[in-house]
Structure formats: C-alpha cells, structure tokens
Amino acid sequence: MRTILIVGAGQSGLQLALGLLAEDYDVTLVNPDGPEEIRAGRVTSTQCLFGPALRRERRHGLSFWEDRAPEIRGVGLRAAHRDGGAEPVLSWLGRLDEPAASVDQRLKLSAWLELFVRGGGRLVRHRVHPGELAGLAREYDLVVVAAGRRGLAEVFPRDTARSPHDAPQRTLALVYASGAAPHPDGPALSRTAVPGAGEVFSLPVLSLDGPCDALMAEAVPGGPLDRPLPAGADAGDVLEHLLRVVRRHAPWEYERFAGARPADPLASLTGGYAPVVREPVARPGGGAPVLGMADAVVANDPITAQGANMASLAADVYRRAIVDQGTRPFDEAFMRAAFAEYWRRARQVTAWSRVMLSGPPHVWELYRLAARHQATADRFADSFADPSGLIQWFLHPERALEYVDGVLRSEPAGGRSR
C-alpha cells in the first residue's frame, strides 16, 4: 500500500486525505490542531463554495450541512459614490444557476477530521517545520504540503513571472454576525465597490450556532476603508470597526448590520497577505521532492471568493493524478504534471483576481451594462462557479468592450433587457 503524507488540515488537505483514504491509500495527516481545537478556534475565512465544489462534496459523501446551510442564490454588486451617498450609483443582482453555500470552516474541518480518523486515517498532532520536510520525504512515497499561505509555503520558490505583487493589496477585516437584517434582494453574496478605497462583502453563513451573516471589508492600504484596529481586537471590536466603515461608505450594509452582534467571541479575522504564485515542487535540503497544493503555491486575494473553491479543485485534481499514477514513482515529473493540470484552470482565477483588484475602466463598463442587462449580471454571477469563460468577455479590455457593444446593438431602442 502506497504511503501518502499530507501536511495541513484545511479544505484542500482534508478533502485530499479523505479522497485518498477512500481509494485505499495509507494516509497520514499532520496538523497542529485536532478537531476540538479547530472547532474552538477563530474563524478562518468566508469560504463561499459554488456549484462545482458543492457537487464534489456530495459525490464524496462530505456534504453534511445542506439541510442547514443557507442557500446563496445570487451574486450582487453595488457601487458607492466616491464621496459617499445614501444610495448606490449602481445596484444589480446576478442569479446563480446552482445555489452556493458557506459553512464555517471550524464546523466543516473539525467534522471532516473526525471522519478521517474514524475511517482509519492517521492524524499526527504536530507543527511541521521546514527542516523536517527532507526527512519526511524519505519516509513516505509522497509528501503533499497543504499548510496554507505562510510558514511551510515559503519552502516553495516564488514564481516571480507570475507574482507581480510583493505586498498585500488589501487589508482584510471579517466578522460573523447574528441578527443582521436580510439582504433586500434575497440571500446573496453581495459586493459593494468603493472606488479607490476597496470593497465591502456580505453573505449568509452557517456557523457554530446556526445561520448568521458574514461582513468583510477589503481595504486598499492607506485608503478610506483602512482604519487601524487596536492590538488584540476581539469580535466586538471588529464589528464596531466595520460598522463605522460601512456607515460612511456603504450605508445600505450599515442598515442591515446596525443591530447585529458577533456570532461568537472568536468570530472575527483581520490581516492581509500578498497574492503569490510559487513553484509547485521543493527539494528540502536538496533531497527528495515534495509537492505543494492550493494556497501553499497559488494564493490569490479573496476578492473573487475563490479560495475554498480552488482548494476543492486542487484536491480533486491531485487525487485523480495520484490514483492514475498507479505504481509509478511520485517523482518531480509527476508533481509538475499534476500542478500543470491544476494551473490550467487556476490561472484564470489568478488573472481574474488581478483585474478585480485594479478595477480597470472596462470592468466598470461591464458593471454598468449588467445594471440594465440581466443576462450579463447572470453571466457574471455564474463565473464564480466556472471562471474559465471570463477570458472570452471579462478579462481583456478589447473583448469586454466588444461584448458591451454587441449587447447594446441587440437591445431594443430605449429599452432595458431584463
């Protein structure tokens, strides 16, 4: 039986571990925290999963929360005035073909980790340090590093050609809140774009104590949304900070969250990180190769809500590659081929994230079109489930403007196409 070591128990690491366990591999998972610590810890992200990722979880028997997680039926955009204002200058909602859902990763990952152990997987409670990887790579047939964006990720060399940023492009503040008013357009992933300042997001979430809502600000560093938080800020401090921000820049979100309270004492997260693409293979100490996965080697800004979806995709691609390899060695050629299959799709998300961070004029032309053309709004919404088509109409200015012109030529004179 081939032995696989996976470092990290996030969405990608656990999904891969459970998938390989079901294929009769000998799987060891190394993570500093067990299920109890994960469940009792701080929130980690907003982790909105769209149709394909949710279908993967159903297919592998990992979808335990469908009857409780609020359905997210659309993706909406509101654009604020640059200088504030009670009403948005743009407001529309794109409808999703398949509902999305967000389940607090404290709830999900603790349950998955318990399932892994019950199924015969080996959990080692340990924080792996870079100097240990060389020895581990000699002990196992394959070592996969899925330990997130920091720490062990740095053993994988930065791909400078694919990593134009060396500093965070947004400062993040997130809180899960109970008692928020419903979104007026129904359950949606809602984005408010504040020109030159950043974005405000909200969405329904299933958390530890039941359904609630997430509120997050992505602030341009040094801009109007970027306000310092006190050291050791708790969830109440983060909510208060976000309410001050949205009261000025997105008052429609303030109206929804003004009466809310933190969902629990650890229901907040702050920080930021630089988007980066890394080489997928490292040879610690010049020895046997190890393979990086998901955020460890491709970390995009969360502005496109793709982090957990890309982690799910990476786990699926790597599982298939491992199984298809049969008894052949998991050498560097295998590792680079597995990553190349993942990157074939992940690169679209990396490109999309860069475009959304910069907000070029052609994107605003598309936003304005979506406000009058429902098919464009729906197409944008469904790109969160399948970003591969964005290259045809959204990412490049010329193609975007050709698309806008084509829609406008086809519209009835003076009419709105809904």
Side-chain angles (χ1 to χ4, degrees):
M1 185 179 293
R2 308 199 79 179
T3 58
I4 313 289
L5 176 71
I6 299 169
V7 182
Q11 172 85 35
S12 65
L14 263 170
Q15 185 179 320
L16 178 62
L18 287 161
L20 292 175
L21 201 63
E23 300 278 358
D24 294 325
Y25 286 82
D26 182 335
V27 186
T28 299
L29 186 67
V30 183
N31 196 65
D33 296 326
E36 300 82 5
E37 290 81 8
I38 292 172
R39 193 178 291 112
R42 187 172 293 280
V43 300
T44 57
S45 70
T46 52
Q47 76 284 308
C48 184
L49 289 185
F50 295 89
L54 292 175
R55 277 186 265 120
R56 286 185 205 108
E57 293 188 356
R58 292 187 201 107
R59 189 164 62 245
H60 294 291
L62 301 177
S63 182
F64 303 146
W65 301 276
E66 280 194 285
D67 59 339
R68 291 187 289 147
E71 285 191 343
I72 297 171
R73 301 194 186 100
V75 175
L77 174 90
R78 290 172 173 175
H81 290 266
R82 186 174 294 273
D83 300 318
E87 298 294 331
V89 293
L90 286 175
S91 180
W92 48 263
L93 182 79
R95 299 166 298 206
L96 289 166
D97 281 345
E98 297 178 79
S102 176
V103 176
D104 186 336
Q105 289 193 337
R106 297 175 296 178
L107 185 64
K108 173 188 282 190
L109 300 181
S110 59
W112 280 8
L113 192 50
E114 290 169 342
L115 179 66
F116 172 75
V117 173
R118 287 198 307 271
R122 186 181 301 106
L123 171 64
V124 177
R125 297 278 302 277
H126 177 65
R127 187 178 300 279
V128 175
H129 297 283
E132 299 174 81
L133 282 175
L136 293 170
R138 290 192 298 268
E139 293 177 24
Y140 293 84
D141 292 319
L142 174 65
V143 172
V144 180
V145 176
R149 296 178 291 268
R150 297 184 178 90
L152 284 184
E154 295 177 5
V155 306
F156 299 96
R158 186 169 178 265
D159 185 336
T160 54
R162 294 170 172 170
S163 304
H165 304 299
D166 56 8
Q169 300 301 291
R170 295 290 188 270
T171 301
L172 310 176
L174 162 70
V175 68
Y176 290 180
S178 299
H183 191 286
D185 295 325
L189 169 63
S190 178
R191 175 175 180 255
T192 293
V194 185
E199 301 81 22
V200 174
F201 295 88
S202 66
L203 71 159
V205 177
L206 178 67
S207 191
L208 300 177
D209 295 323
C212 63
D213 288 88
L215 179 65
M216 181 173 76
E218 281 217 345
V220 173
L225 299 185
D226 187 16
R227 292 290 182 265
L229 276 160
D234 62 18
D237 297 325
V238 177
L239 178 58
E240 184 178 344
H241 157 78
L242 287 169
L243 288 175
R244 287 196 300 269
V245 166
V246 299
R247 187 171 193 173
R248 170 71 176 84
H249 296 283
W252 39 91
E253 293 288 17
Y254 177 81
E255 292 172 6
R256 293 185 55 217
F257 283 88
R261 63 189 184 282
D264 64 75
L266 295 178
S268 66
L269 184 68
T270 60
Y273 58 89
V276 64
V277 178
R278 299 182 181 276
E279 293 289 337
V281 180
R283 288 184 175 270
V290 298
L291 174 61
M293 181 168 69
D295 278 358
V297 287
V298 182
N300 293 309
D301 188 277
I303 193 167
T304 56
Q306 292 297 296
N309 296 273
M310 288 295 100
S312 170
L313 174 64
D316 196 53
V317 169
Y318 280 22
R319 179 189 59 80
R320 293 184 186 190
I322 290 167
V323 172
D324 289 347
Q325 190 69 356
T327 59
R328 290 170 290 175
F330 295 122
D331 54 14
E332 183 168 344
F334 158 79
M335 294 178 181
R336 292 193 177 277
F339 176 78
E341 176 61 22
Y342 171 63
W343 177 249
R344 186 173 63 83
R345 285 176 274 182
R347 65 184 179 181
Q348 307 288 348
V349 173
T350 297
W352 184 22
S353 299
R354 291 176 189 165
V355 169
M356 296 288 278
L357 284 170
S358 61
H362 76 269
V363 168
W364 285 92
E365 289 293 329
L366 291 166
Y367 288 165
R368 284 188 281 271
L369 177 65
R372 60 183 292 174
H373 186 243
Q374 186 63 45
T376 296
D378 294 345
R379 188 176 187 182
F380 180 74
D382 276 319
S383 294
F384 285 77
D386 180 9
S388 62
L390 287 166
I391 193 75
Q392 301 164 8
W393 71 287
F394 191 94
L395 298 182
H396 291 291
E398 288 184 7
R399 292 178 184 175
L401 296 179
E402 287 175 1
Y403 172 80
V404 171
D405 289 344
V407 170
L408 294 178
R409 283 196 301 269
S410 66
E411 279 192 328
R416 287 166 59 91
S417 177
R418 305 302 294 177

